[in-house]
Amino acid sequence: MSSSIGEKCTKIKQEYDGCFNNWYSEKFLKGDATPQCDDLFFKYKECLMQTLEEKKLDTLIADARKDNPFPNASSSSSSSKSESSSKKE
Amino acid sequence: MVKFYQHTSSFEHAWDNVTYAFWLRYPNPFASHVIGCDVLDRSVDPVTGVLRTTRLILKQGVLPRWGRSLIKSPDAYIIEESEVNPKTHTMVTRTKNLNHVRVMQVEETQTFTIHPENPKWTQVKTEARIISELRWGMTGRVESFGINKFMDNSVKARKGMAHILERLRQNAAAAAAASAVAPLEA
């Protein structure tokens, strides 16, 4: 399993990866999408967000993610949701 | 200046395994330049059942000497967005670099589907766009470097995936063998 960009997050990241890999191959691909690794993901993400702030990567990432990489997918599925960013057009 | 690149290839492995290998692909012996890979967001769309993931990948850059004056940090951050639809058996991944974008932006889209000629195989369509805003006669050089580097990396990425897929196949074979002999042990 790969390391985290934040050294201190690698342990929790690999724990989460293990959970996800198992869920993906044994549940998700077999039609069961019930979440299984949320607790681990929250812990991992908390650590990661701290790292990204420390490395000043948070704004870089936020800017990059403003471009929707899947415009077709979201226009067909976001009709019922009111996302603030969808009003720009 | 913009350059486009398009390529279709296949893996002689089932779609399920190829998409699984996508998550497992770092580390592998062909990606020693990848220092870290993190999941920024991940969720399943309750309506469509599509798994959406955003990852951040840190790559140690290997630049030619003339490029080192252009770029302060040789490391590159890559953002990877992906969607897996288990019902239609489609995985789409999009990657682009976050820093060094003025020098060069590489945007790559890969679509993994069941191979039209063999349902046990997977087809991969790759489309890429390489853009540079540099002037002073550098763009040509930067972009041909970018294209070459991109091609090298594509080959390495493919080898990395093939390596992981082979490992999965061996594990599955070992597990099947173990379960076949298990009744004897019990």
Side-chain angles (χ1 to χ4, degrees):
Chain A
M1 271 178 265
S2 55
S3 303
S4 171
I5 287 162
E7 259 175 59
K8 60 178 178 184
C9 310
T10 294
K11 192 168 169 280
I12 179 77
K13 189 241 173 205
Q14 294 186 342
E15 240 176 279
Y16 165 72
D17 275 352
C19 181
F20 170 79
N21 294 342
N22 185 56
W23 173 83
Y24 185 80
S25 56
E26 300 303 321
K27 298 281 170 78
F28 180 74
L29 288 178
K30 292 174 181 169
D32 179 1
T34 316
Q36 206 171 51
C37 310
D38 284 359
D39 289 350
L40 282 171
F41 188 60
F42 290 137
K43 275 189 212 159
Y44 161 43
K45 204 174 165 180
E46 206 177 342
C47 182
L48 182 63
M49 288 302 129
Q50 237 174 10
T51 303
L52 298 182
E53 263 176 56
E54 282 163 17
K55 291 186 188 278
K56 304 208 185 329
L57 285 168
D58 43 349
T59 45
L60 192 67
I61 293 166
D63 284 349
R65 295 185 66 192
K66 274 181 199 155
D67 308 330
N68 186 345
F70 297 108
N72 295 334
S74 75
S75 62
S76 58
S77 67
S78 67
S79 52
S80 58
K81 297 174 206 159
S82 56
E83 284 172 38
S84 57
S85 61
S86 64
K87 289 174 188 164
K88 276 184 187 166
E89 286 174 317
Chain B
M1 270 179 76
V2 184
K3 284 204 168 120
F4 293 93
Y5 170 86
Q6 213 177 33
H7 180 67
T8 303
S9 63
S10 55
F11 286 109
E12 294 181 11
H13 293 263
W15 181 86
D16 277 19
N17 289 347
V18 173
T19 68
Y20 185 39
F22 184 85
W23 304 121
L24 304 177
R25 75 190 198 281
Y26 302 128
N28 73 66
F30 304 97
S32 50
H33 61 300
V34 173
I35 309 166
C37 174
D38 279 294
V39 182
L40 296 175
D41 268 311
R42 179 170 268 153
S43 62
V44 176
D45 187 310
V47 180
T48 58
V50 169
L51 173 71
R52 285 191 187 190
T53 305
T54 307
R55 296 202 296 184
L56 180 68
I57 299 159
L58 176 57
K59 292 186 179 179
Q60 219 159 24
V62 186
L63 282 178
R65 205 183 313 147
W66 54 261
R68 285 177 208 154
S69 58
L70 297 170
I71 293 176
K72 273 183 286 174
S73 150
D75 295 343
Y77 286 98
I78 315 289
I79 200 144
E80 171 202 278
E81 308 259 4
S82 62
E83 289 196 337
V84 185
N85 188 328
K87 287 173 199 148
T88 60
H89 296 99
T90 309
M91 179 180 205
V92 183
T93 69
R94 283 167 215 243
T95 55
K96 61 178 184 181
N97 53 310
L98 278 184
N99 53 350
H100 313 322
V101 291
R102 208 180 61 88
V103 179
M104 193 163 72
Q105 170 102 60
V106 181
E107 294 171 2
E108 183 190 41
T109 304
Q110 287 198 301
T111 309
F112 300 81
T113 49
I114 291 177
H115 201 287
E117 282 156 31
N118 187 334
K120 288 180 183 164
W121 291 2
T122 305
Q123 189 176 68
V124 189
K125 209 172 120 193
T126 303
E127 289 164 293
R129 213 158 60 123
I130 301 173
I131 312 155
S132 179
E133 289 175 11
L134 283 184
R135 284 180 203 148
W136 312 300
M138 288 296 279
T139 42
R141 203 174 179 188
V142 166
E143 278 171 14
S144 28
F145 167 73
I147 289 270
N148 290 337
K149 186 87 186 157
F150 174 77
M151 304 281 250
D152 284 356
N153 284 344
S154 293
V155 171
K156 277 191 204 151
R158 218 194 121 69
K159 282 184 179 167
M161 282 288 280
H163 176 86
I164 301 286
L165 282 163
E166 198 44 51
R167 222 174 57 194
L168 286 177
R169 183 178 273 169
Q170 283 168 7
N171 288 353
S179 70
V181 297
L184 293 174
E185 288 168 3

mmCIF file of all heavy atoms in Angstrom, chain B residues 14 21 27 46 56 72 80 94 98-99 122 128 136 139 150 158 161-164 170 181 186:
data_model
loop_
_atom_site.group_PDB
_atom_site.id
_atom_site.type_symbol
_atom_site.label_atom_id
_atom_site.label_comp_id
_atom_site.label_asym_id
_atom_site.label_seq_id
_atom_site.Cartn_x
_atom_site.Cartn_y
_atom_site.Cartn_z
ATOM 1 N N ALA B 14 -9.998 -9.527 -16.371
ATOM 2 C CA ALA B 14 -11.396 -9.104 -16.263
ATOM 3 C C ALA B 14 -11.490 -7.660 -15.760
ATOM 4 O O ALA B 14 -10.615 -7.191 -15.012
ATOM 5 C CB ALA B 14 -12.135 -10.033 -15.308
ATOM 6 N N ALA B 21 -7.126 -3.288 -9.511
ATOM 7 C CA ALA B 21 -5.685 -3.040 -9.634
ATOM 8 C C ALA B 21 -5.390 -1.542 -9.709
ATOM 9 O O ALA B 21 -4.338 -1.082 -9.262
ATOM 10 C CB ALA B 21 -5.128 -3.743 -10.869
ATOM 11 N N PRO B 27 2.404 1.140 -4.251
ATOM 12 C CA PRO B 27 3.629 1.198 -5.050
ATOM 13 C C PRO B 27 3.747 0.005 -5.986
ATOM 14 O O PRO B 27 3.140 -1.030 -5.751
ATOM 15 C CB PRO B 27 4.716 1.132 -3.973
ATOM 16 C CG PRO B 27 4.086 0.363 -2.853
ATOM 17 C CD PRO B 27 2.626 0.630 -2.913
ATOM 18 N N PRO B 46 -25.927 7.980 -4.214
ATOM 19 C CA PRO B 46 -27.047 7.126 -3.821
ATOM 20 C C PRO B 46 -28.018 6.845 -4.968
ATOM 21 O O PRO B 46 -28.731 5.836 -4.954
ATOM 22 C CB PRO B 46 -27.734 7.922 -2.712
ATOM 23 C CG PRO B 46 -27.270 9.325 -2.867
ATOM 24 C CD PRO B 46 -25.921 9.277 -3.526
ATOM 25 N N LEU B 56 -4.903 12.489 -4.450
ATOM 26 C CA LEU B 56 -3.776 13.383 -4.671
ATOM 27 C C LEU B 56 -2.522 12.523 -4.695
ATOM 28 O O LEU B 56 -2.291 11.728 -3.782
ATOM 29 C CB LEU B 56 -3.706 14.398 -3.528
ATOM 30 C CG LEU B 56 -2.579 15.424 -3.583
ATOM 31 C CD1 LEU B 56 -2.781 16.396 -4.739
ATOM 32 C CD2 LEU B 56 -2.522 16.214 -2.267
ATOM 33 N N LYS B 72 11.021 25.509 -9.661
ATOM 34 C CA LYS B 72 11.669 25.578 -8.345
ATOM 35 C C LYS B 72 11.690 24.203 -7.679
ATOM 36 O O LYS B 72 12.728 23.694 -7.306
ATOM 37 C CB LYS B 72 10.918 26.570 -7.446
ATOM 38 C CG LYS B 72 11.396 28.010 -7.612
ATOM 39 C CD LYS B 72 10.666 28.924 -6.653
ATOM 40 C CE LYS B 72 9.242 29.134 -7.134
ATOM 41 N NZ LYS B 72 8.397 29.876 -6.232
ATOM 42 N N GLU B 80 -6.312 13.260 -9.188
ATOM 43 C CA GLU B 80 -6.928 12.183 -9.967
ATOM 44 C C GLU B 80 -8.389 12.045 -9.534
ATOM 45 O O GLU B 80 -8.670 11.802 -8.377
ATOM 46 C CB GLU B 80 -6.161 10.883 -9.689
ATOM 47 C CG GLU B 80 -6.808 9.626 -10.251
ATOM 48 C CD GLU B 80 -6.329 8.388 -9.499
ATOM 49 O OE1 GLU B 80 -5.245 7.888 -9.828
ATOM 50 O OE2 GLU B 80 -7.036 7.950 -8.556
ATOM 51 N N ARG B 94 -9.604 10.707 -14.489
ATOM 52 C CA ARG B 94 -9.026 11.916 -15.080
ATOM 53 C C ARG B 94 -7.924 12.430 -14.185
ATOM 54 O O ARG B 94 -8.149 12.606 -12.981
ATOM 55 C CB ARG B 94 -10.087 12.998 -15.237
ATOM 56 C CG ARG B 94 -10.978 12.715 -16.417
ATOM 57 C CD ARG B 94 -12.216 13.579 -16.401
ATOM 58 N NE ARG B 94 -13.308 12.786 -16.928
ATOM 59 C CZ ARG B 94 -13.965 13.091 -18.045
ATOM 60 N NH1 ARG B 94 -13.675 14.178 -18.705
ATOM 61 N NH2 ARG B 94 -14.921 12.307 -18.485
ATOM 62 N N LEU B 98 -1.118 19.603 -10.691
ATOM 63 C CA LEU B 98 -1.595 20.782 -9.960
ATOM 64 C C LEU B 98 -0.589 21.913 -9.985
ATOM 65 O O LEU B 98 -0.963 23.075 -10.019
ATOM 66 C CB LEU B 98 -1.822 20.410 -8.486
ATOM 67 C CG LEU B 98 -3.118 19.735 -8.117
ATOM 68 C CD1 LEU B 98 -3.175 19.545 -6.621
ATOM 69 C CD2 LEU B 98 -4.300 20.562 -8.577
ATOM 70 N N ASN B 99 0.683 21.581 -9.912
ATOM 71 C CA ASN B 99 1.691 22.645 -9.949
ATOM 72 C C ASN B 99 2.443 22.578 -11.284
ATOM 73 O O ASN B 99 2.195 21.691 -12.084
ATOM 74 C CB ASN B 99 2.634 22.543 -8.731
ATOM 75 C CG ASN B 99 3.244 21.155 -8.571
ATOM 76 O OD1 ASN B 99 2.850 20.208 -9.234
ATOM 77 N ND2 ASN B 99 4.221 21.062 -7.708
ATOM 78 N N THR B 122 -10.276 -6.398 -20.716
ATOM 79 C CA THR B 122 -10.650 -5.008 -20.465
ATOM 80 C C THR B 122 -10.016 -4.104 -21.518
ATOM 81 O O THR B 122 -8.836 -4.257 -21.840
ATOM 82 C CB THR B 122 -10.160 -4.583 -19.063
ATOM 83 O OG1 THR B 122 -10.688 -5.511 -18.112
ATOM 84 C CG2 THR B 122 -10.605 -3.177 -18.708
ATOM 85 N N ALA B 128 -5.197 12.261 -23.984
ATOM 86 C CA ALA B 128 -4.427 13.228 -23.203
ATOM 87 C C ALA B 128 -4.255 14.532 -23.964
ATOM 88 O O ALA B 128 -4.324 14.567 -25.200
ATOM 89 C CB ALA B 128 -3.063 12.652 -22.860
ATOM 90 N N TRP B 136 9.265 32.520 -25.581
ATOM 91 C CA TRP B 136 10.710 32.589 -25.891
ATOM 92 C C TRP B 136 11.207 31.288 -26.519
ATOM 93 O O TRP B 136 12.283 30.810 -26.226
ATOM 94 C CB TRP B 136 11.535 32.902 -24.634
ATOM 95 C CG TRP B 136 11.005 34.041 -23.854
ATOM 96 C CD1 TRP B 136 10.850 35.312 -24.285
ATOM 97 C CD2 TRP B 136 10.533 34.010 -22.504
ATOM 98 N NE1 TRP B 136 10.308 36.083 -23.295
ATOM 99 C CE2 TRP B 136 10.114 35.313 -22.185
ATOM 100 C CE3 TRP B 136 10.433 33.019 -21.543
ATOM 101 C CZ2 TRP B 136 9.583 35.627 -20.935
ATOM 102 C CZ3 TRP B 136 9.921 33.329 -20.302
ATOM 103 C CH2 TRP B 136 9.496 34.619 -20.008
ATOM 104 N N THR B 139 8.339 26.626 -25.940
ATOM 105 C CA THR B 139 7.174 25.730 -25.938
ATOM 106 C C THR B 139 7.420 24.452 -26.720
ATOM 107 O O THR B 139 7.072 23.382 -26.262
ATOM 108 C CB THR B 139 5.914 26.419 -26.490
ATOM 109 O OG1 THR B 139 6.305 27.173 -27.613
ATOM 110 C CG2 THR B 139 5.254 27.274 -25.453
ATOM 111 N N PHE B 150 5.491 11.808 -21.329
ATOM 112 C CA PHE B 150 4.155 11.247 -21.168
ATOM 113 C C PHE B 150 4.086 9.822 -21.721
ATOM 114 O O PHE B 150 3.526 8.925 -21.109
ATOM 115 C CB PHE B 150 3.122 12.144 -21.850
ATOM 116 C CG PHE B 150 1.748 11.563 -21.838
ATOM 117 C CD1 PHE B 150 0.991 11.616 -20.678
ATOM 118 C CD2 PHE B 150 1.231 10.933 -22.950
ATOM 119 C CE1 PHE B 150 -0.264 11.041 -20.640
ATOM 120 C CE2 PHE B 150 -0.022 10.361 -22.919
ATOM 121 C CZ PHE B 150 -0.771 10.415 -21.762
ATOM 122 N N ARG B 158 1.441 1.310 -17.568
ATOM 123 C CA ARG B 158 0.890 0.055 -18.073
ATOM 124 C C ARG B 158 1.605 -1.145 -17.473
ATOM 125 O O ARG B 158 0.975 -2.116 -17.060
ATOM 126 C CB ARG B 158 1.061 0.036 -19.594
ATOM 127 C CG ARG B 158 -0.078 -0.578 -20.329
ATOM 128 C CD ARG B 158 0.251 -0.893 -21.754
ATOM 129 N NE ARG B 158 0.072 -2.317 -21.945
ATOM 130 C CZ ARG B 158 -1.111 -2.925 -21.925
ATOM 131 N NH1 ARG B 158 -2.203 -2.223 -21.730
ATOM 132 N NH2 ARG B 158 -1.216 -4.219 -22.087
ATOM 133 N N MET B 161 0.496 -1.564 -13.887
ATOM 134 C CA MET B 161 -0.821 -2.206 -13.795
ATOM 135 C C MET B 161 -0.692 -3.695 -14.084
ATOM 136 O O MET B 161 -1.274 -4.528 -13.386
ATOM 137 C CB MET B 161 -1.793 -1.566 -14.800
ATOM 138 C CG MET B 161 -2.366 -0.242 -14.389
ATOM 139 S SD MET B 161 -3.595 -0.378 -13.058
ATOM 140 C CE MET B 161 -5.045 -0.898 -13.987
ATOM 141 N N ALA B 162 0.066 -4.047 -15.129
ATOM 142 C CA ALA B 162 0.240 -5.452 -15.496
ATOM 143 C C ALA B 162 0.881 -6.230 -14.339
ATOM 144 O O ALA B 162 0.499 -7.369 -14.057
ATOM 145 C CB ALA B 162 1.094 -5.565 -16.761
ATOM 146 N N HIS B 163 1.828 -5.583 -13.672
ATOM 147 C CA HIS B 163 2.515 -6.209 -12.531
ATOM 148 C C HIS B 163 1.522 -6.524 -11.409
ATOM 149 O O HIS B 163 1.490 -7.630 -10.867
ATOM 150 C CB HIS B 163 3.608 -5.254 -12.040
ATOM 151 C CG HIS B 163 4.319 -5.725 -10.811
ATOM 152 N ND1 HIS B 163 5.405 -6.573 -10.860
ATOM 153 C CD2 HIS B 163 4.084 -5.477 -9.496
ATOM 154 C CE1 HIS B 163 5.808 -6.814 -9.633
ATOM 155 N NE2 HIS B 163 5.033 -6.171 -8.778
ATOM 156 N N ILE B 164 0.676 -5.531 -11.078
ATOM 157 C CA ILE B 164 -0.311 -5.711 -10.009
ATOM 158 C C ILE B 164 -1.339 -6.773 -10.407
ATOM 159 O O ILE B 164 -1.723 -7.629 -9.601
ATOM 160 C CB ILE B 164 -1.040 -4.372 -9.693
ATOM 161 C CG1 ILE B 164 -0.040 -3.291 -9.270
ATOM 162 C CG2 ILE B 164 -2.140 -4.554 -8.660
ATOM 163 C CD1 ILE B 164 0.535 -3.416 -7.896
ATOM 164 N N GLN B 170 -2.031 -14.415 -9.307
ATOM 165 C CA GLN B 170 -1.299 -15.417 -8.515
ATOM 166 C C GLN B 170 -1.959 -15.634 -7.152
ATOM 167 O O GLN B 170 -2.099 -16.763 -6.697
ATOM 168 C CB GLN B 170 0.164 -14.996 -8.337
ATOM 169 C CG GLN B 170 0.990 -15.232 -9.592
ATOM 170 C CD GLN B 170 2.354 -14.558 -9.532
ATOM 171 O OE1 GLN B 170 2.732 -14.017 -8.506
ATOM 172 N NE2 GLN B 170 3.067 -14.584 -10.642
ATOM 173 N N VAL B 181 -7.439 -27.667 -0.936
ATOM 174 C CA VAL B 181 -6.825 -28.634 -0.014
ATOM 175 C C VAL B 181 -7.355 -28.474 1.413
ATOM 176 O O VAL B 181 -7.127 -29.335 2.255
ATOM 177 C CB VAL B 181 -5.269 -28.549 0.010
ATOM 178 C CG1 VAL B 181 -4.719 -28.900 -1.347
ATOM 179 C CG2 VAL B 181 -4.791 -27.173 0.467
ATOM 180 N N ALA B 186 -8.746 -29.978 7.496
ATOM 181 C CA ALA B 186 -9.724 -29.809 8.575
ATOM 182 C C ALA B 186 -10.006 -31.122 9.316
ATOM 183 O O ALA B 186 -9.557 -32.171 8.934
ATOM 184 C CB ALA B 186 -11.028 -29.255 8.014
#
